[in-house]
């Protein structure tokens, strides 16, 4: 077995031939994998020979630790077991820009794992960016504003775009959703048609519990209207009105973000982006606090399974 590194992404090779039992191999190597994630922020394991969905699900279970039951998702995905899902169903030609998984939610995973069953013919990289470096390179006044006040996410749950509230919260009981909102600092209202609208303020900078380093931890740019493709933003605005977009982000006091600020955040992410094309059977384990991730547009079939583990409250 050999190991090599690139900036922010470690690589571990399972060996010249795939192990006979990938799950058992991962159990034996879990401490080494976790150590590589702690040192580098993410590790790519190659050569496991994950040939089936069942093998990939079991591999993810072996590395994510305590699984997270997702709540407040914003895009559909298939569930394959506790804490294990398909990647989000998102148009192949539209990027999912840099973000930290569920950084807006009541509980987020500290650890992510991705298993590749089908690598796309072109594109589709799950890219990474070091949140410490992003924080250092953003303008100090912008950082201090968000560090002090946090950020605001508004959501208008619409089954035509994204998830219906019943799917996002795993229940069709309004009272249960209201109780969840109360315990997770979410402002909630129902309109006359029974649609759910929420507002929640979240921290934009977190101190990493393991290292004590500050990290830019949020989805300010990804879930903002200016990150949408222009034609998508225009369609959604015409369909639902500027106040009815499925999701949008603001300064904590509700002041809109201008396009220049959102573009700047995305440009700094790009400066620190590390890309490694997927190969069938790859397993990537990621520190969700230290590393942002994205999904780039692609062509051809693509199947990536995702494990969410080690839940914590941001």
């Amino acid at each position: 077995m050999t190991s090599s590194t690139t900036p922010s992404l470690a690589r571990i090779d399972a060996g010249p031939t795939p192990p006979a039992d990938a799950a058992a191999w991962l159990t034996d190597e879990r401490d080494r994998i976790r150590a590589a994630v702690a040192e580098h922020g993410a590790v790519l394991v190659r050569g496991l020979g994950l040939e089936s969905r069942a093998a990939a699900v079991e591999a993810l279970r072996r590395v994510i630790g305590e699984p997270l039951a997702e709540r407040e998702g914003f895009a559909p995905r298939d569930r394959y077991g506790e804490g294990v899902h398909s990647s989000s169903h998102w148009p192949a030609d539209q990027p999912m820009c840099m973000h930290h998984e569920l950084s807006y939610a009541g509980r987020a995973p500290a650890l992510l794992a991705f298993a590749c069953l089908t690598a796309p013919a072109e594109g589709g990289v799950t890219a990474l960016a070091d949140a410490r470096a992003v924080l250092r390179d953003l303008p100090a006044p912008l950082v201090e504003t968000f560090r002090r006040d946090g950020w605001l996410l508004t959501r208008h749950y619409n089954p035509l775009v994204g998830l219906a509230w019943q799917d996002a919260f795993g229940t069709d009981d309004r009272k249960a959703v209201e109780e969840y909102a109360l315990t997770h600092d979410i402002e909630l209202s129902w309109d006359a048609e029974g649609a759910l609208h929420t507002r929640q303020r979240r921290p934009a900078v977190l101190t990493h519990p393991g290292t004590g380093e500050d990290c830019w931890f949020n989805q300010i740019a990804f879930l903002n209207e200016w990150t949408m493709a222009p034609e998508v933003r225009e369609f959604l605005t015409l369909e639902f009105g500027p106040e009815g977009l499925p999701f949008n982000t603001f300064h904590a006091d509700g002041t809109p973000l201008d396009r220049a600020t959102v573009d700047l955040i995305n440009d700094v992410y790009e400066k620190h982006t590390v890309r490694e094309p997927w190969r069938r059977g790859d397993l990537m384990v990621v520190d969700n606090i230290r590393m942002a991730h994205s999904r780039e547009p692609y062509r051809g079939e693509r199947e990536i399974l995702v494990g969410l583990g080690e839940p914590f409250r941001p």
Side-chain angles (χ1 to χ4, degrees):
M1 292 176 287
T2 60
S3 299
S4 61
T5 62
T6 61
S8 300
L9 179 62
R11 178 173 153 182
I12 296 175
D13 294 325
T17 59
D21 186 337
W25 185 92
L26 286 166
T27 299
D28 293 340
E29 297 292 330
R30 178 172 162 168
D31 288 347
R32 184 161 76 108
I33 292 169
R34 287 290 188 103
V37 173
E39 181 178 357
H40 300 281
V43 60
L44 178 67
V45 182
R46 283 214 154 127
L48 282 175
L50 303 176
E51 297 295 330
S52 69
R53 188 175 293 158
V57 169
E58 189 57 35
L60 292 170
R61 286 175 172 162
R62 297 296 176 103
V63 297
I64 62 172
E66 180 186 354
L68 170 67
E70 183 182 35
R71 294 291 182 268
E72 303 181 63
F74 67 89
R77 47 180 161 198
D78 305 318
R79 186 176 184 272
Y80 295 126
E82 194 173 9
V84 180
H85 311 263
S86 69
S87 53
S88 298
H89 297 309
W90 194 260
D93 62 343
Q94 297 294 324
M96 299 180 72
C97 298
M98 282 290 175
H99 63 286
H100 297 264
E101 196 73 17
L102 295 171
S103 57
Y104 56 83
R107 296 176 77 202
L111 195 70
L112 302 177
F114 303 87
C116 177
L117 282 177
T118 304
E122 180 181 325
V125 170
T126 301
L128 301 171
D130 191 321
R132 304 167 306 169
V134 171
L135 181 68
R136 288 194 298 265
D137 276 6
L138 287 169
L142 182 148
V143 168
E144 288 311 308
T145 296
F146 282 111
R147 187 196 297 271
R148 181 185 67 241
D149 302 329
W151 60 291
L152 172 67
L153 171 68
T154 63
R155 299 190 64 176
H156 301 277
Y157 288 86
N158 184 337
L160 301 177
V161 182
L163 282 182
W165 63 264
Q166 295 91 336
D167 296 319
F169 291 95
T171 180
D172 58 5
D173 183 345
R174 285 195 187 189
K175 184 172 179 56
V177 174
E178 291 166 0
E179 290 174 351
Y180 178 96
L182 183 64
T183 59
H184 293 91
D185 302 317
I186 299 172
E187 300 172 25
L188 170 154
S189 64
W190 306 93
D191 67 21
E193 287 74 40
L196 175 63
H197 307 276
T198 61
R199 293 164 60 90
Q200 54 213 83
R201 290 170 182 80
R202 294 293 184 251
V205 178
L206 284 190
T207 300
H208 194 289
T211 68
E213 297 173 289
D214 285 346
C215 300
W216 181 252
F217 179 84
N218 56 71
Q219 292 180 219
I220 292 168
F222 176 32
L223 297 180
N224 187 267
E225 61 180 307
W226 295 115
T227 296
M228 298 177 188
E231 65 275 13
V232 173
R233 178 177 178 271
E234 181 179 358
F235 168 78
L236 292 175
T237 301
L238 286 172
E239 189 74 14
F240 304 111
E243 304 300 321
L245 293 175
F247 44 79
N248 205 355
T249 63
F250 302 84
H251 289 280
D253 64 359
T255 302
L257 290 160
D258 58 46
R259 184 167 200 157
T261 297
V262 175
D263 287 347
L264 171 64
I265 294 170
N266 284 324
D267 288 345
V268 174
Y269 275 131
E270 177 60 29
K271 176 181 176 181
H272 294 288
T273 293
V274 175
R275 295 176 172 86
E276 179 68 31
W278 282 114
R279 297 182 189 174
R280 180 177 173 83
D282 281 350
L283 179 75
M284 186 164 68
V285 187
V286 179
D287 180 334
N288 186 45
I289 300 173
R290 176 172 160 181
M291 306 296 289
H293 69 280
S294 65
R295 192 228 68 191
E296 300 184 348
Y298 64 93
R299 295 177 57 192
E301 294 299 314
R302 180 185 188 272
E303 184 174 5
I304 309 292
L305 271 57
V306 183
L308 312 177
E310 307 296 2
F312 75 104
R313 186 160 183 169

